[in-house]
């Protein structure tokens, strides 16, 4: 993007406090029946022995426990540059382009109506 520097604009990050459900992990003891097998011999004389045991384990799940507050971003931080005579076309005057912080700093220090060139990160501001 090539044009003449018109003006620059910095939109600060905007945040607000919000609440959301708070979850905690609760565990309870539980048991399950486990099957075991053992075999001996081979061919037609092969025997399989089966037995069962009860094993204990912890069954855990997340449950809601009240609410928690957090900082929610309403608007992300943006750096914008307005150009005149974009690409040599005066009909595209005063068009705003969203740019990176590095490009913003470069254009901000340039003289008024100096020719600048950059790759925009987005349109509108």
């Amino acid at each position: 993007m090539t044009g003449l520097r018109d003006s620059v604009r910095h939109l600060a990050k905007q945040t607000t406090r919000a609440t959301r459900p708070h979850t905690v992990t609760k565990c309870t003891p539980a048991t399950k029946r486990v099957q075991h097998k053992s075999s001996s011999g081979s061919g037609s004389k092969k025997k399989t022995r089966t037995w069962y045991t009860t094993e204990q384990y912890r069954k855990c799940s997340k449950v809601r426990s009240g609410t928690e507050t957090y900082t929610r971003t309403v608007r992300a931080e943006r750096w914008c540059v307005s150009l005149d005579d974009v690409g040599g076309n005066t009909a595209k005057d005063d068009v705003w382009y969203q740019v990176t912080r590095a490009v913003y700093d470069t254009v901000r220090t340039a003289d008024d109506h100096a020719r600048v060139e950059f790759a925009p990160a987005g349109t509108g501001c």
Side-chain angles (χ1 to χ4, degrees):
M1 184 73 39
T2 305
L4 302 179
R5 178 197 188 274
D6 186 19
S7 58
V8 292
R9 179 189 296 168
H10 174 244
L11 296 172
K13 176 178 167 180
Q14 214 174 29
T15 60
T16 186
R17 304 217 5 112
T19 59
R20 62 183 168 210
H22 178 70
T23 57
V24 294
T25 303
K26 294 254 183 174
C27 297
T28 57
T31 57
K32 62 183 170 182
R33 189 173 180 221
V34 181
Q35 180 183 21
H36 303 278
K37 288 188 177 189
S38 168
S39 57
S40 61
S42 63
S44 64
K45 296 185 187 231
K46 187 169 184 167
K47 287 192 172 189
T48 302
R49 187 171 78 89
T50 304
W51 73 97
Y52 297 90
T53 60
T54 303
E55 289 187 359
Q56 293 188 349
Y57 69 101
R58 289 167 50 107
K59 187 176 186 176
C60 298
S61 62
K62 287 191 173 190
V63 295
R64 184 175 170 172
S65 174
T67 59
E68 63 184 4
T69 59
Y70 68 103
T71 303
R72 183 172 63 91
T73 302
V74 176
R75 180 183 68 204
E77 189 171 23
R78 291 188 301 212
W79 298 275
C80 303
V81 174
S82 175
L83 295 180
D84 283 340
D85 199 15
V86 178
N89 185 356
T90 54
K92 292 185 178 179
D93 279 4
D94 299 320
V95 178
W96 285 99
Y97 296 98
Q98 197 170 329
V99 294
T100 62
R101 173 73 189 261
V103 171
Y104 172 81
D105 287 339
T106 304
V107 174
R108 186 174 54 89
T109 56
D111 293 330
D112 277 346
H113 295 290
R115 183 159 297 285
V116 291
E117 186 172 345
F118 59 85
T123 56
C125 204

